[in-house]
């Protein structure tokens, strides 16, 4: 069939026929002769010699493969020959070369090895010929297919996407399928799913070691529970299942699904577990619920295995409402105390201070999977394309609106959501007079903001003038209203800048003022001027004397209740928590006074490279509190379209 073959003899017997690599050569190349010049095999017992040959063959073939790159490696033998071949096949890189075992026996340790039963003894005769033919046909056919694929891959190698591994099990299959769909629809990466049944975990680790996988989303770590309780699906100790992933250079996202169960054959459950919660899963598997003590130990193992991993290489994402489908509140494996024990142990043993994110959801819930998706996208190689969200994904996280709601808020959100679903950006433009408002709408602005700083900017003065006592900020907006509102189409979204700390608008007076703005035709409000731009002792004194950010929060809450669109500026995580709780429809992450341009600042708190991580942190917090909140960004080093593009390419859901 035109395939070149080299043969390795591991029989440990003398033969008259010749092979390219006789057994003595294999042993001699991997082991030194003793001082008397004798071969290492001459003083060994049979058991010692078998062990030595297995180790020698594994090293010998691995070293040859690095130089020659075999297309396939085939092990042939009975029970003894299989025990010699397996270590060599298992030590070779995952997936390629192709690995075959033509054997008289079966074993559970197959991994990515293609197992072909020999049926008879592995001796060629007229009866066994058909079984040998099946091996030859399988190997040559796959090699021919691999050769075709290799030629295509050489052409397309420059365009290859990062590869993301996702681990799955029956009790996490719903979540894994959702995550796979989201990642593949994004167009950012290719996804390979490994079943956490022992061999799946081992092959995944091998693929990471070979550099084939860039990100691992470990949605199913049940193999560790099986390792602890001697179940049937262990992939080895955590030092072999967890540690090699970051050591191999991949980013490891641990969402420890199914740590709440151990797998046993239905007829071989250990006596000590027969009184535990058991679930007959299928004809091959019965599941046992882990207890709090076991969960604490598994968490400790995971943290110990991550002790050498860099802080930036690991994300730990924990569902607080169950680690499997069977552990939901109404299911047999629900055990809140055992789950809490795992989470607490993860936090207690996280000595490397790896990021831990807790999501109030079951591991298969949409909210949890969306969070995993966002984290995964953040850690794809930087040369990945910008995420293109599908309309269905965008729609799934937008505000739900009553079709009968005709308030300015509802009308504005419908319009903005339509832009998002169409894949467009939401652009807010500050306006200081009718001409700037008219030009902004003509240029494609999604909404206008009418605030006192706009008037100062039209006069060639920086925006911070709006924070100083040059005029009454709220009255200036009222004066500007007629000019700006009359200059744009009636369906335009126009926001009013409202100074929430105005001492003249406390209590019911603020509600009265907001009603007046609504009547004038404003669609919504924004908290400007804002004390969020002030810091140090001055800010502390403002907070202490009642002119605080919480006053702005109350203004936003009042505006939301009146049916106005609410788009507050936020500056830190505490601001995000307060504004989301107040019902804000949109939060605008304020990065400070805009730099550059003729009236911009020269000094910024964050440089452009620091912005994405800060923005993503606040965005993730907002969506963990309420998934439908829309996030915009403003100011600081974002002075040009290319600056904005830089940030959008490095963040999600912004």
């Amino acid at each position: 069939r035109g395939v070149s073959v080299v043969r390795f003899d591991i029989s440990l017997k003398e033969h008259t026929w010749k092979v390219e690599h006789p057994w003595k050569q294999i042993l001699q190349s991997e082991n030194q002769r003793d001082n008397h010049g004798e071969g290492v095999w001459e003083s060994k017992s049979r058991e010692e010699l078998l062990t030595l040959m297995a180790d020698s063959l594994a090293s010998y073939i691995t070293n040859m493969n690095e130089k020659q790159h075999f297309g396939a490696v085939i092990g042939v033998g009975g029970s003894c020959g299989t025990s010699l071949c397996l270590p060599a096949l298992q030590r070779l890189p995952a997936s390629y070369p192709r690995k075959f075992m033509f054997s008289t026996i079966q074993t559970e340790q197959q991994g990515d090895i293609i197992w072909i039963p020999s049926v008879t003894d592995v001796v060629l005769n007229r009866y066994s010929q058909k079984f040998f033919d099946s091996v030859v046909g399988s190997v040559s056919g796959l090699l021919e297919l691999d050769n075709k694929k290799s030629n295509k891959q050489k052409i397309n190698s420059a365009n290859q996407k990062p590869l993301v591994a996702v681990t799955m099990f029956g009790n996490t299959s719903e979540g894994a399928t959702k995550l796979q769909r989201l990642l593949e629809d994004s167009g950012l990466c290719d996804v390979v799913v490994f079943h956490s049944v022992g061999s799946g975990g081992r092959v995944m680790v091998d693929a990471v070691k070979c550099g084939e996988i860039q990100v691992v989303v470990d949605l199913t770590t049940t193999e560790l529970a099986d390792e602890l309780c001697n179940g049937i699906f262990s992939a080895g100790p955590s030092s072999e299942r967890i540690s090699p992933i970051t050591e191999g250079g991949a980013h490891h996202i641990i969402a420890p699904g199914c740590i709440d169960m151990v797998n046993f054959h239905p007829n071989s459950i250990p006596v000590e577990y027969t009184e535990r919660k058991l679930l007959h899963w299928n004809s091959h598997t019965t599941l046992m619920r882990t207890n709090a003590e076991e969960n604490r130990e598994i968490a400790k193992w995971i943290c110990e295995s991550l002790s050498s991993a860099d802080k930036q290489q690991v994300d730990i994402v924990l569902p607080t409402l169950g680690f499997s489908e069977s552990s939901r509140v109404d299911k047999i494996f629900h055990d809140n105390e055992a789950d809490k024990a795992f989470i607490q142990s993860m936090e207690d043993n996280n000595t490397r201070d790896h990021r831990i994110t807790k999501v109030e959801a079951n591991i298969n819930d949409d909210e949890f999977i969306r969070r995993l998706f966002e984290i995964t996208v953040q850690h794809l190689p930087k040369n990945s394309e910008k995420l293109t969200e599908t309309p269905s994904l965008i729609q799934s996280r937008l505000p739900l609106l009553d079709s009968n709601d005709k308030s300015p808020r509802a009308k504005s959100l419908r319009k903005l959501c339509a832009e998002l679903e169409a894949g467009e950006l939401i652009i807010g433009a500050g306006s200081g007079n009718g001409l700037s408002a008219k030009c902004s709408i003509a240029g494609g602005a999604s909404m206008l903001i009418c605030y006192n700083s706009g008037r100062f900017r039209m006069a060639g003065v920086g925006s911070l003038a709006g924070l100083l006592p040059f005029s009454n900020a709220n009255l200036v907006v009222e004066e500007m209203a007629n000019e700006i509102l009359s200059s744009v189409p009636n369906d335009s979204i126009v926001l009013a800048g409202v100074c929430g700390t105005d001492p003249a608008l406390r209590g019911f007076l603020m509600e009265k003022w907001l009603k007046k703005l609504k009547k004038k035709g404003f669609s919504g409000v924004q908290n400007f001027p804002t004390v969020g731009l002030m810091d140090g002792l001055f800010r502390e004194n403002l907070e202490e004397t009642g002119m605080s950010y919480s006053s702005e929060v109350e203004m936003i809450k009042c505006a939301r209740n009146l049916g106005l669109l609410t788009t507050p500026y936020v500056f830190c995580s505490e601001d995000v928590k307060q504004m989301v709780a107040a019902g804000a429809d949109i939060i605008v992450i304020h990065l400070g006074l805009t730099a550059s341009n003729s009236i911009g600042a020269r000094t910024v708190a964050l440089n452009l490279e620091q912005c994405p991580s800060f923005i993503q942190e606040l965005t993730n917090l907002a969506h963990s509190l309420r998934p439908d909140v829309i996030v915009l960004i403003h100011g600081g080093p974002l002075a040009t379209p290319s600056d904005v593009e830089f940030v959008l390419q490095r963040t999600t859901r912004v």
Side-chain angles (χ1 to χ4, degrees):
R1 291 177 181 253
V3 178
S4 299
V5 177
V6 292
R7 295 166 296 174
F8 302 82
D9 173 23
I10 56 172
S11 64
L12 301 173
K13 296 177 182 178
E14 299 294 341
H15 295 290
T16 56
W17 42 269
K18 295 182 179 181
V19 296
E20 291 81 1
H21 302 279
W23 63 271
K24 289 184 180 181
Q25 178 180 317
I26 295 171
L27 288 175
Q28 288 173 353
S29 66
E30 299 301 319
N31 303 274
Q32 296 294 323
R33 290 175 175 271
D34 64 21
N35 294 332
H36 302 287
E38 296 180 332
V40 292
W41 59 88
E42 295 178 12
S43 60
K44 302 288 184 182
S45 66
R46 181 177 183 277
E47 183 178 354
E48 292 173 330
L49 194 54
L50 289 173
T51 301
L52 182 64
M53 173 54 82
D55 292 340
S56 300
L57 179 66
S59 298
Y60 192 81
I61 288 184
T62 301
N63 291 336
M64 280 196 66
N65 182 62
E66 290 177 356
K67 299 173 184 176
Q68 297 187 13
H69 301 295
F70 296 129
V73 177
I74 311 168
V76 179
S79 60
C80 183
T82 300
S83 68
L84 295 175
C85 293
L86 265 183
L89 295 175
Q90 291 170 339
R91 194 179 297 184
L92 289 167
S95 304
Y96 203 81
R98 300 284 188 172
K99 288 167 265 186
F100 296 82
M101 188 66 223
F102 187 50
S103 173
T104 60
I105 65 170
Q106 292 284 355
T107 176
E108 294 181 0
Q109 298 181 343
Q110 295 181 18
D112 61 340
I113 301 170
I114 300 172
W115 212 272
I116 302 177
S118 67
V119 183
T120 68
D121 186 23
V122 285
V123 176
L124 187 62
N125 54 51
R126 68 178 186 178
Y127 182 80
S128 64
Q129 176 76 50
K130 55 189 173 184
F131 303 116
F132 278 85
D133 286 346
S134 68
V135 178
V136 173
S138 298
V139 174
S140 58
L142 279 173
L143 288 177
E144 182 179 350
L145 179 63
D146 289 340
N147 186 51
K148 291 179 179 177
K149 286 184 176 179
S150 177
N151 291 334
K152 290 182 179 179
Q153 288 173 349
K154 288 176 183 177
I155 297 172
N156 298 322
S157 60
N159 299 319
Q160 278 191 337
K161 299 174 183 176
L163 189 59
V164 174
V166 177
T167 54
M168 184 180 83
F169 202 55
N171 261 276
T172 54
S173 61
E174 182 182 349
T177 301
K178 291 176 184 176
L179 180 61
Q180 181 181 12
R181 187 179 300 119
L182 290 177
L183 289 169
E184 290 178 342
D185 285 352
S186 76
L188 280 175
C189 59
D190 293 322
V191 180
V192 57
V193 177
F194 292 91
H195 286 237
S196 295
V197 292
S199 59
R202 288 191 294 270
V203 173
M204 180 194 68
V205 168
D206 286 344
V208 171
K209 289 179 179 177
C210 295
E212 295 183 76
I213 293 172
Q214 287 72 52
V215 178
V216 172
V217 184
D218 231 340
L219 189 61
T220 312
T221 52
T222 190
E223 291 159 322
L224 296 177
D226 279 43
E227 172 69 14
L228 178 64
C229 299
N230 296 313
I232 59 175
F233 289 151
S234 170
S238 58
S239 59
E240 297 176 6
R241 173 60 177 76
I242 300 295
S243 301
I245 293 175
T246 52
E247 291 171 359
H251 188 87
H252 198 178
I253 302 169
I254 300 175
C258 294
I259 50 85
D260 51 5
M261 59 185 64
V262 181
N263 302 269
F264 294 109
H265 291 306
N267 298 323
S268 60
I269 300 170
V271 175
E272 63 267 30
Y273 297 139
T274 54
E275 299 302 316
R276 299 278 284 276
K277 284 184 180 179
L278 300 175
L279 173 61
H280 181 70
W281 187 250
N282 56 41
S283 60
H284 302 289
T285 311
T286 293
L287 309 176
M288 180 196 77
R289 202 345 171 155
T290 53
N291 58 28
E293 181 181 354
E294 290 158 350
N295 281 1
R296 277 190 285 267
E297 186 65 17
I298 295 169
K300 184 179 178 182
W301 279 5
I302 292 174
C303 291
E304 288 175 348
S305 298
L306 295 172
S307 60
S308 60
D310 187 87
K311 183 178 178 180
Q312 302 304 317
Q313 279 187 287
V314 177
D315 276 278
I316 300 168
V317 190
L318 304 176
T320 61
L321 300 182
F323 290 93
S324 67
E325 189 64 25
S326 296
S327 65
R328 291 186 183 275
V329 175
D330 58 341
K331 299 293 182 66
I332 184 174
F333 279 177
H334 176 66
D335 188 337
N336 196 39
E337 293 306 312
D339 290 350
K340 284 183 176 179
F342 179 87
I343 293 172
Q344 188 61 54
S345 182
M346 287 294 294
E347 293 175 330
D348 292 344
N349 291 288
N350 184 26
T351 56
R352 291 283 290 170
D353 197 29
H354 294 300
R355 287 180 294 270
I356 294 181
T357 302
K358 290 189 282 189
V359 182
E360 190 174 352
N362 180 273
I363 198 163
N364 289 311
D365 286 347
D366 290 350
E367 184 177 349
F368 186 81
I369 297 304
R370 280 199 299 266
R371 190 72 189 90
L372 276 186
F373 170 70
E374 292 162 4
I375 293 174
T376 303
V377 169
Q378 290 174 39
H379 295 291
L380 292 175
K382 296 302 181 184
N383 60 351
S384 296
E385 301 170 14
K386 167 63 182 161
L387 170 67
T388 303
E389 293 183 299
T390 61
S392 60
L393 173 58
I394 296 172
Q395 191 175 42
S396 70
R397 59 172 175 79
L398 293 178
L400 294 175
L401 300 169
D402 186 342
S403 58
N404 296 319
D405 189 348
K406 308 300 182 184
S407 67
R409 170 183 177 269
K411 291 179 180 178
S412 299
L413 282 175
R414 287 192 190 98
K415 190 173 182 181
L416 295 175
C417 289
E419 291 187 17
L420 288 175
E421 290 182 32
E424 299 175 8
L425 297 177
I426 292 179
I427 301 174
S431 298
N433 58 28
L435 179 60
S436 66
K438 188 184 293 287
C439 291
S440 295
I441 291 296
S446 310
M447 56 187 178
L448 302 176
I449 304 95
C450 171
Y451 43 16
N452 68 327
S453 282
R455 173 169 287 183
F456 288 112
R457 286 205 298 269
M458 291 297 101
V461 181
S463 294
L464 292 184
L467 275 66
L468 297 173
F470 300 147
S471 59
N472 184 311
N474 288 322
L475 293 180
V476 168
V477 170
E478 185 182 25
E479 292 171 6
M480 296 167 65
N482 290 340
E483 180 181 349
I484 290 178
L485 290 169
S486 64
S487 300
V488 296
N490 291 336
D491 64 346
S492 301
I493 302 173
V494 184
L495 309 178
V498 177
C499 180
T501 56
D502 189 340
L505 295 177
R506 291 178 177 172
F508 76 93
L509 293 174
M510 177 56 75
E511 182 179 354
K512 188 175 179 180
W513 178 254
L514 294 174
K515 287 180 178 178
K516 186 176 183 180
L517 295 176
K518 181 179 179 182
K519 188 175 181 180
K520 275 188 169 292
F522 283 107
S523 311
V525 298
Q526 189 163 64
N527 56 329
F528 193 89
T530 172
V531 297
L533 286 167
M534 303 171 188
D535 54 18
L537 181 61
F538 182 55
R539 171 67 181 274
E540 289 182 26
N541 291 159
L542 288 173
E543 295 285 335
E544 293 165 352
T545 54
M547 290 168 280
S548 63
Y549 189 80
S550 61
S551 299
E552 300 175 23
V553 174
E554 289 302 313
M555 182 273 291
I556 291 296
K557 185 185 297 184
C558 182
R560 169 65 189 266
N561 292 336
L562 293 173
L564 289 165
L565 182 69
T566 49
T567 65
Y569 284 130
V570 295
F571 301 84
C572 63
S573 58
E574 188 58 36
D575 295 349
V576 172
K577 293 176 184 177
Q578 291 187 67
M579 286 301 187
V580 172
D585 301 301
I586 299 171
I587 61 168
V588 184
I589 299 174
H590 203 305
L591 303 171
L593 185 64
T594 305
S596 185
N597 300 324
S598 59
I599 56 173
R602 296 180 181 176
T603 306
V604 291
L606 296 173
N607 60 43
L608 188 60
E609 288 71 25
Q610 294 171 319
C611 287
S613 60
F614 175 73
I615 291 168
Q616 196 65 61
E617 180 183 351
L618 296 193
T619 300
N620 292 343
L621 173 59
H623 290 145
S624 70
L625 297 171
R626 208 180 76 231
D628 65 355
V629 67
I630 297 171
V631 178
L632 305 183
I633 51 178
H634 170 80
L638 307 184
T640 67
S642 61
D643 296 333
V644 175
E645 182 182 26
F646 176 88
V647 170
L648 293 181
Q649 287 181 336
R650 290 161 177 79
T651 54
T652 60
R653 294 184 64 177
V654 176

